[in-house]
Amino acid sequence: MKITSVLKISPTAKRSQTSPVIGVPRALSYFEYLPLWRAFFEALGCRVVISPETNKKILDDGVQAAVEEACLPVKLYYGHVKALSGKVDYVFVPRLISVAKKTYVCPKFMGVPDMVRTAAHFDRHYPELLIVDVNHRLRGGGWNQALVNAGTQLGFAPAVIRRGLQAGRQAQDDFEVQLHTGINPAMALADWEKRGRAIKRTGPKAGKDQAAAAPGGLVIAVIGHPYQIFDRFVSLNLLGKLQAEGVRVITASAVADQVGREATSHLPKRLFWSFGQKLLGGSLHLLEQPIDGLIYVAAFGCGPDSMVGEIVERHAKRADQVPFLMLTIDEHTGEAGVNTRLEAFLDLITRKKHESSIKKTRIAIKGYRG
Amino acid sequence: MGVRSVFYLGVDVGSVSTNLVLVDQLGNVEETIYLRTQGRPLAVIQTGLKELAKRYPDEAIGGVGTTGSARTLGAVILGADVVKNEITTHAVAAEQIVPGVRTILEIGGQDSKLILLKNGVVTDFAMNTVCAAGTGSFLDQQAARLQIPITKFGSLAAEARHAVRIAGRCSVFAESDMIHKQQTGHTLPDIIAGLCEALVRNYLNNLGKGKQLVPPIVFQGGVAANVGMCRAFEKALGQAIIVPEHHMVMGAVGAAILAGEAVKQKGGASNFKGLAMAEQPLVAGSKECKDCPNLCEVIEICEAGQPIARWGDRCGKWESSVAAGKQDWPDLKPQTAVR
């Protein structure tokens, strides 16, 4: 039996001696929940293997296997699952249905496990999957229950699973607290990518990152799904390019959910996509902060992005013209197009900032009309 | 032209045309050279330099700026003082020639832009996405299909009495729509005028979505030469459109002005390699780097056999290898060598 599901798997007998190796695809919700997963599985005694950073092969594998209408991040997920083939016993593929009260996650997240299973049906190079549902809408159906199910499927004793849960929760809480200090999320995540057992990042280092904001440098909010903006391949290294220009980047990850909710409380209707709410709340909150510009990174074909991006743009324009740039990214996005827009956007901000001084030095104006 | 006058050279290496201009200290355009890129940017830049060398000595050029999609390539071989994106250069040039400009419509060979300004500063911009419908290339293609010189395309449209309605959303569909209209007996001027209106509609829907286009409005880029397109814009916007004299080369004008600013800021010294670059044997080659699964296509530019720049690698190791003095290029057999 190649494909495992909640109902079919019975690894208890199979793996009584050694704990299984768990694969984690470096895609989609990975960028939000890695600490939770990694600390949980490692507390159970499992080894955790993460798929490599997105590269051309992963992209090609994903695009080839995925359904046509999926967005690029979902297509990449296939590639990341496949990249773990032969390296792990199971790939952890949670089915995210609802991760917070009264919200849903994008329907494609719900379909991901089944989409990948279908692909695996046609391609024997896919690893076995460990699928659990995450559904806050059911009583006790959140992450805790999902991980308990995962642990149970792997044949661990309830007491061991409880300890694992504690470790996972602790790790995730630490991670989120760290994010809210404004630390670069990629750096916070890097600790968890390197080693599982929480290495507590101490104050000074986090402080150093903050200090990287050169006085007088630009501060730009980059808003987009973490799986877009923190994936260097997909985002064409957008964050790296901004940092190379001396820009300090703030993302919606730095905005606590409560703060985001307050920023959107005046809207006529609540957004029911939890990730969309995170981006909208983050944007509206950051627009009230002293930022020089806002870049919205949308995934081509993403329904929530097409709406959230539009709302953010309108608010950016209302909030006394915070310069706004929308970058829509898919697998065909050329680096030249992104570079041109980015350079022009930075020019726009810089020139706007130094408007008066430039006017003085601008060479005398003389011209004609045709 | 006195020997003592100093000009700034602006070079806009676009997908379809390569333009070289000289502007004087005051930002007045002294010289313009408009060339077709024809897929050979290196050779075309050299052709342009040869033209300049006939009339100007090296000392006449006090600084160089490059722009356009091949701006990096141009910068490497010229020794540019400034490398700027097309949006900024177009805005700088328009503000110079039409002070107080608020809206810039720019349609070039393969892309189109909309730039909004206030007080001489860009406040918003939009560029067309992957699709090239409505850009100069499509007009070129249709002119070729109808065997009308592109230069006459616009004046034909101006003869139209009743512009037909053509779907401009996609160039493939626009073409079949045009053929349909021609087969049912509409006159050529009416069809061409209809095409212009369709392209303008497409442009305004794509780029102008949600933006307020405030006069003065300047229309520049190669397509601004097309009277039919100007009329269509005026009709759609209900405003007069200003087409600057040097509308074809505005990107290069902006690059030249910015080069002047950059050189002054640096204290007067330019990196310009000299007009003799026109005679240097320049070779560009590429290889697929197989060091990781990304399989980047790395480009190398060689001047007289010596690599002067490499790029195209995501990790940057080839790019920095030239500066670091590592001239080796393991297993490089240029897959393609273009001059």
Side-chain angles (χ1 to χ4, degrees), chain A residues 21-25 38 42 47-51 84 87-88 90:
Chain A
V21 178
I22 304 295
V24 171
R38 184 155 198 176
E42 289 188 342
R47 196 157 67 81
V48 171
V49 175
I50 302 172
S51 62
L84 288 163
K87 297 176 186 162
V88 298
Y90 300 100

Side-chain angles (χ1 to χ4, degrees), chain A residues 55-56 341 347 351 362, chain B residues 84 88 128 258 261 294:
Chain A
N55 57 45
K56 202 169 171 184
R341 285 169 173 83
D347 279 351
R351 291 218 160 209
R362 171 60 53 77
Chain B
K84 269 290 166 204
T88 304
N128 67 330
L258 289 170
E261 284 182 12
N294 282 335

Side-chain angles (χ1 to χ4, degrees), chain B:
Chain B
M1 179 199 74
V3 185
R4 270 169 300 163
S5 35
V6 169
F7 302 106
Y8 297 108
L9 171 62
V11 182
D12 180 350
V13 194
S15 53
V16 173
S17 74
T18 296
N19 316 316
L20 291 85
V21 307
L22 291 180
V23 303
D24 66 14
Q25 303 274 355
L26 298 173
N28 296 316
V29 178
E30 170 75 17
E31 172 78 50
T32 67
I33 297 173
Y34 182 92
L35 301 163
R36 291 240 155 190
T37 307
Q38 292 177 324
R40 284 184 284 280
L42 287 179
V44 171
I45 295 171
Q46 289 189 311
T47 310
L49 289 180
K50 273 180 209 156
E51 285 288 308
L52 283 180
K54 284 180 196 159
R55 275 162 285 167
Y56 301 89
D58 270 349
E59 304 80 66
I61 293 165
V64 185
T66 60
T67 185
S69 42
R71 57 185 177 277
T72 323
L73 186 77
V76 165
I77 56 176
L78 291 166
D81 299 298
V82 67
V83 187
K84 269 290 166 204
N85 62 83
E86 305 91 290
I87 292 166
T88 304
T89 53
H90 274 281
V92 165
E95 173 65 22
Q96 165 78 7
I97 288 171
V98 184
V101 57
R102 294 292 309 276
T103 304
I104 301 169
L105 317 168
E106 197 272 341
I107 306 186
Q110 295 231 318
D111 60 19
S112 47
K113 309 171 195 73
L114 171 66
I115 309 170
L116 305 182
L117 302 90
K118 200 173 182 182
N119 301 326
V121 177
V122 177
T123 57
D124 200 0
F125 64 84
M127 276 173 84
N128 67 330
T129 43
V130 190
C131 179
T135 59
S137 296
F138 178 56
L139 287 174
D140 257 358
Q141 208 185 347
Q142 290 311 312
R145 186 177 69 83
L146 300 167
Q147 300 202 332
I148 302 167
I150 186 71
T151 44
K152 288 204 182 139
F153 213 64
S155 47
L156 252 180
E159 291 168 20
R161 278 198 242 140
H162 160 69
V164 297
R165 193 166 175 93
I166 285 169
R169 196 77 189 83
C170 164
S171 58
V172 177
F173 294 140
E175 176 166 334
S176 52
D177 221 12
M178 284 170 71
I179 292 174
H180 171 71
K181 291 279 157 52
Q182 125 209 336
Q183 304 299 62
T184 54
H186 289 282
T187 68
L188 205 51
D190 285 353
I191 293 172
I192 295 175
L195 175 68
C196 291
E197 286 185 10
L199 298 188
V200 164
R201 221 167 27 240
N202 192 20
Y203 175 98
L204 293 175
N205 287 343
N206 274 344
L207 305 184
K209 186 190 62 154
K211 298 191 191 334
Q212 228 187 333
L213 310 192
V214 182
I217 301 174
V218 168
F219 182 19
Q220 55 199 41
V223 174
N226 187 317
V227 189
M229 288 295 286
C230 299
R231 293 238 173 126
F233 266 120
E234 289 188 330
K235 191 170 157 191
L237 295 171
Q239 305 274 2
I241 304 285
I242 304 164
V243 178
E245 184 189 349
H246 299 292
H247 60 87
M248 308 274 274
V249 296
M250 292 293 270
V253 171
I257 294 172
L258 289 170
E261 284 182 12
V263 168
K264 274 172 204 154
Q265 238 170 33
K266 284 193 295 188
S270 170
N271 302 333
F272 183 44
K273 290 189 178 173
L275 294 166
M277 277 309 284
E279 310 298 339
Q280 286 290 335
L282 290 173
V283 176
S286 72
K287 80 153 188 172
E288 194 173 67
C289 172
K290 295 195 174 67
D291 293 357
C292 85
N294 282 335
L295 306 176
C296 298
E297 287 160 5
V298 189
I299 319 282
E300 182 183 65
I301 311 294
C302 285
E303 179 188 330
Q306 284 298 309
I308 52 172
R310 291 176 186 143
W311 61 75
D313 43 342
R314 278 175 182 265
C315 65
K317 70 175 175 188
W318 293 114
E319 199 173 325
S320 56
S321 68
V322 175
K326 289 186 206 134
Q327 304 283 301
D328 59 316
W329 179 244
D331 74 72
L332 170 79
K333 289 283 170 279
Q335 298 170 332
T336 52
V338 283
R339 243 221 80 177

Side-chain angles (χ1 to χ4, degrees), chain A residues 56-128:
Chain A
K56 202 169 171 184
K57 175 151 189 348
I58 289 180
L59 173 77
D60 290 346
D61 281 346
V63 169
Q64 197 187 4
V67 289
E68 197 48 52
E69 306 86 67
C71 59
L72 180 59
V74 165
K75 290 179 181 175
L76 283 172
Y77 195 88
Y78 288 70
H80 279 281
V81 172
K82 194 171 172 180
L84 288 163
S85 176
K87 297 176 186 162
V88 298
D89 294 312
Y90 300 100
V91 175
F92 183 54
V93 182
R95 182 197 311 281
L96 272 64
I97 300 167
S98 168
V99 294
K101 255 190 192 164
K102 292 186 182 172
T103 64
Y104 274 117
V105 171
C106 157
K108 283 172 187 157
F109 273 75
M110 301 182 202
V112 155
D114 299 316
M115 290 193 261
V116 174
R117 279 208 301 196
T118 311
H121 191 68
F122 294 104
D123 182 345
R124 55 193 179 78
H125 294 298
Y126 273 81
E128 293 201 37

